[in-house]
Amino acid sequence: MNAVKLNPDPGRLRTSRPGPGWFLPWTYAPVTVTFLILFWILGVLTSTVLAGPRGTLRPYAVVTASSLPAHWEVLVTGAFWGRDLPGYLVGTVLLVAAGIPAERRLGSVRFAAAALSSQVVGIFAATAVVYGGRNLMGSWSAQLMTHWFLGPSALICGAGLAATAALGTLWRRRLRLGIFALLILLTLYSGSFPDLIRLGAATAGALLGPLLQGRRPRFGIPVTSRREARVLVAMVVAASAVGPVLAGLLPHAVGPLAVLRFLFTNIQPVDPQTLHSLCADPTRLKDCAAAQLQLRAGAGGIFMSILPSVLLLLFADGLRRGRRFAWYAALVLEGAVAVLAGSYIAAALMPAGPNKTPNEGPGAIDITAFHHPLALILPLLLPILLVILLLVTRKLFPVCAPPRTYPRLTLTIIVLAAALTGIYLLAGLLLAGGFTPIPGIGDLLADIPDRFVPLGYLLDLSPAFFPESGAAVALYEGIGITFWTITAVLVFRSFLRPAHNVHGSDEDRARAILKNTQGSSLSWMTLWNGNSYWFSTTGTSFIAYRVLSGVALTLGPPVGPAKELRTTMDEFTRYTGENGWTPCFYSVPDEVRAITAPNGWGSVQVAQETILDLETISFSGRKFQDIRTALNKAAKEGIRAQWISYPTAPLSIVDQIHAISEEWVADKGMPEMGFTLGGLDEINDPEVRCLLAIDDQHTVHAVASWLPVYRDGTIIGWTLDFMRRRSAGFRAGIEFLIASAALSLKDGGYEFISLSGAPLARITATAETGAAAGGGFTPAPDGGLDRLLGRLGAILEPVYGFRSLLAFKSKFQPRYEPLFMLYPDAAALPSIANAIGRAYIPKVSVGQGFTLAGKIIRPRRNSTTPSQIHAPK
């Protein structure tokens, strides 16, 4: 069996195999290899490999905030020496692991320019921060003046970020986000001068990369899919959890957020002098025991001290999966941290009174010693900003666990806490001699709440007793560790449970009706998330709808027996009237319009469905020349069509589909549309089939999904839904997939395939012959509203390419079926238009609105080509 080989860059294809140069790095990365050789030669010649530059060499090799303007040469020379032997080794690893791939991606000249420029800009930026923020940063600025930097890490960060501009959209975004998250974490929590230089260099490289590729940098919030947006939010929450732990692990963390380590890693340091003074005072034996407990806190104490960070990481994983419970939990925890931070800062800024002694007790903290008082506002703002972020992105996390998952989880946790409490009481009495002083049953009962709270939060309350023996310490710390470990595992398992649809029972009922009766080519879309279901009095028909702006907007015609069509529509109309809604039947065929017309309903054609009858299709003759060309080119390039089911596809294939889709969304500059437009969530269905254009290297060039069309329990046809093509892949990938699907499904005995509709575009009856022959198409407005929609289609053409989509589908010589929107009252059209817009695009930011307007006002000359069409139905 051949192993699946992945292209490391989903945005570009591998065009050649590595040659002999693969074993000779200097043949394709001469700048990196030359620098690496000089790096070690200079270190050996100057005897700086073990201890770094010293003596007269130091001012010329080491970068400090005061190096400029006395030593301009350090802008370059600072990269050629290491701090010590570990510094030389780390620099070598960075050059080999990141420098060589970056140089291969950029080319030697552009790599050298990016590395040198970003190093210089990073040093200038860090120096400017030190001197420009002295009045605001207080002690942080003073600390930075004592730091120094040398080594190649900054130029590697800059060149590496510049090289990401040559990657595909998804991996470019992922790498930049990961690198910047790490660098920002180090800057905010560690806060050293080298951290500032590396962040400045990386920023310069990210801005310089597009310029080296011949395009302008993009600014603003990137457009992304819902799935990728969840990952971004989860990463932000995870970063907020890791940062304080990082600051707690670094002995000299001085960053503006380093003070938050006292909220998350709350075992406070106790210096030997404080310990000696506490233990020398007979009246403070309890404080002495508390300080000793902190000093010898082992793995248990460390785990409990970082418990808030562990929980945030756990909830971040739930956010990545779109879980609503994780959203609530993260919101509550971040809110609690915000309140706790505010209380710490308020206590620190409160003037000392006659009865207040600062730094009293082993757990007390003098926060003002770390920063200027004004700078304490920033640590307080971070949890608040995270709360705001979670509130704004709430709709990204709709996934609920099955019913009663969390009530059962709560009951399990309560039973666990009760069992551990009993164990603590019994074992505490047995091990009472290992505590100082010896506790009684009342003391143990009073101490129980503290066992389940992260160690250190309540140390200022001076507990009644402390463990001395090893067994007592294990019991004292182990209860909380056991409780939170089991709780975390149970919560994590709840994130793995299948998602629950709030309309689950209705959806199952609708699915059964759809399969056993008859619907339209769009009927499978009624099973997508976001729809509500109304069932007829007979129970054999249903209508999928969503209520927006007081409009009950249906998706397609009623599903059920054809003989019940009129009765079903009348019942639904009465139902909407009783609820005060305006009914609107969207994307319905002409037979449905014929039912409502005698009742005075208005109608307008909103799309034209294209259908291929498989019985007669062969793609022979001159009119199918383009289709045969696509099939022949695919065969010559070793590209084949392969059916898969997305839920069971190999991870390598799923990741490529995700990358292609994310690249398409980002390049569009507009959010993904919904309603009748499927995305990755909709193809994640075992009954939806996906057809891939894939080559011998297992590189996916294009993907298209097909929805089943049922009649009386049998699949009679398939509807095209999700279409994506790799930007640098096989250009005729979509034509190839549609033609291959038609031939394959014909052999499978199916009646037809639907290429779906093209909104705001149509082919007139007199023009169908010309369009079918490969000619153009003409809009056919009849009436004021039709003319208005025709004009709207022309305006939106540069953005969504509706008419180009219809022209593209005409290559396959389909038959055309009009799809209509039906409404009872023309006065409701503004509300209906608003409802349809919100159904397709629930939320558009101000920036995306300007992007849309800009594309409409300044249409690109090559805005849409048939091979790039992935437009809505």
Side-chain angles (χ1 to χ4, degrees), residues 173-237:
R173 181 178 298 168
R174 284 177 172 177
L175 287 175
R176 287 183 177 180
L177 180 65
I179 294 172
F180 273 115
L182 175 61
L183 295 178
I184 292 173
L185 273 178
L186 290 171
T187 300
L188 292 179
Y189 289 93
S190 173
S192 67
F193 187 62
D195 294 328
L196 282 174
I197 292 177
R198 284 187 283 265
L199 179 59
T203 303
L207 296 176
L208 186 61
L211 297 176
L212 294 175
Q213 298 294 323
R215 62 177 188 270
R216 292 182 299 177
R218 294 183 180 180
F219 299 96
I221 300 175
V223 178
T224 185
S225 66
R226 289 173 59 88
R227 176 178 175 179
E228 195 69 13
R230 292 172 183 169
V231 174
L232 299 183
V233 174
M235 288 190 67
V236 171
V237 173

Side-chain angles (χ1 to χ4, degrees), residues 719-735:
T719 299
L720 177 63
D721 176 40
F722 179 89
M723 291 188 293
R724 298 288 189 270
R725 181 180 68 81
R726 189 187 294 272
S727 61
F730 181 51
R731 291 190 60 82
I734 299 300
E735 293 97 324

Side-chain angles (χ1 to χ4, degrees), residues 349-668:
L349 297 179
M350 185 179 299
N355 298 323
K356 179 182 176 182
T357 303
N359 300 331
E360 183 174 349
I365 313 164
D366 183 10
I367 299 182
T368 57
F370 291 87
H371 298 287
H372 189 277
L374 291 178
L376 289 175
I377 297 175
L378 184 59
L380 174 61
L381 285 179
L382 179 64
I384 295 176
L385 291 175
L386 289 172
V387 170
I388 294 174
L389 173 66
L390 290 170
L391 291 174
V392 170
T393 58
R394 178 179 181 273
K395 292 184 178 180
L396 294 175
F397 311 102
V399 182
C400 298
R404 299 201 56 77
T405 294
Y406 291 106
R408 285 196 293 265
L409 175 62
T410 302
L411 180 60
T412 302
I413 293 175
I414 292 174
V415 172
L416 173 65
L420 290 175
T421 297
I423 292 173
Y424 180 67
L425 292 175
L426 293 176
L429 292 174
L430 294 175
L431 300 173
F435 292 90
T436 302
I438 297 176
I441 185 64
D443 296 325
L444 291 172
L445 284 171
D447 186 62
I448 285 174
D450 293 0
R451 297 309 96 230
F452 297 96
V453 176
L455 184 62
Y457 280 128
L458 301 179
L459 283 179
D460 57 332
L461 299 181
S462 192
F465 56 89
F466 292 94
E468 292 288 347
S469 67
V473 170
L475 175 66
Y476 194 78
E477 296 183 356
I479 292 296
I481 298 172
T482 304
F483 173 77
W484 287 109
T485 300
I486 296 176
T487 298
V489 171
L490 293 175
V491 172
F492 177 73
R493 290 180 60 186
S494 74
F495 295 155
L496 302 180
R497 299 200 64 183
H500 171 65
N501 187 345
V502 294
H503 300 292
S505 58
D506 287 345
E507 181 183 318
D508 294 340
R509 184 179 174 188
R511 186 184 294 265
I513 294 175
L514 186 153
K515 288 184 174 181
N516 295 312
T517 57
Q518 181 176 353
S520 71
S521 59
L522 304 183
S523 292
W524 195 261
M525 300 174 188
T526 62
L527 304 178
W528 291 351
N529 289 334
N531 292 314
S532 299
Y533 299 95
W534 172 89
F535 296 92
S536 65
T537 54
T538 63
T540 55
S541 298
F542 76 90
I543 292 177
Y545 70 98
R546 58 188 70 192
V547 179
L548 300 165
S549 302
V551 176
L553 183 66
T554 75
L555 199 165
V559 179
K563 62 182 180 180
E564 296 183 6
L565 180 59
R566 182 183 298 273
T567 303
T568 300
M569 295 186 65
D570 290 341
E571 289 182 1
F572 181 76
T573 301
R574 287 194 298 270
Y575 168 76
T576 57
E578 293 170 356
N579 286 276
W581 304 327
T582 299
C584 176
F585 292 91
Y586 188 79
S587 291
V588 298
D590 191 55
E591 56 265 26
V592 178
R593 184 181 66 156
I595 294 175
T596 60
N599 298 328
W601 283 51
S603 65
V604 60
Q605 183 175 334
V606 293
Q608 200 158 24
E609 186 178 12
T610 48
I611 299 174
L612 301 183
D613 295 309
L614 298 180
E615 183 179 359
T616 58
I617 200 165
S618 62
F619 298 125
S620 62
R622 184 175 180 181
K623 58 186 179 181
F624 290 108
Q625 180 62 44
D626 291 346
I627 308 303
R628 291 198 303 275
T629 299
L631 293 170
N632 293 335
K633 283 186 176 180
K636 290 180 180 179
E637 296 186 20
I639 296 173
R640 67 186 187 279
Q642 177 178 328
W643 288 105
I644 66 163
S645 173
Y646 183 86
T648 59
L651 180 61
S652 59
I653 298 297
V654 170
D655 186 68
Q656 290 190 76
I657 294 174
H658 181 202
I660 294 171
S661 179
E662 192 65 30
E663 179 184 35
W664 177 82
V665 173
D667 290 343
K668 275 289 183 182

Side-chain angles (χ1 to χ4, degrees), residues 789-810:
L789 292 177
R791 177 58 181 163
L792 180 60
I795 292 174
L796 294 178
E797 180 65 20
V799 182
Y800 290 111
F802 298 136
R803 296 181 176 183
S804 300
L805 175 62
L806 187 57
F808 166 71
K809 292 178 178 179
S810 68

Side-chain angles (χ1 to χ4, degrees), residues 315-364:
F315 300 148
D317 180 74
L319 293 174
R320 180 182 66 86
R321 302 172 188 273
R323 294 286 174 162
R324 175 58 57 88
F325 176 82
W327 180 86
Y328 281 118
L331 185 67
V332 170
L333 186 54
E334 289 288 3
V337 170
V339 172
L340 189 60
S343 65
Y344 270 53
I345 293 171
L349 297 179
M350 185 179 299
N355 298 323
K356 179 182 176 182
T357 303
N359 300 331
E360 183 174 349

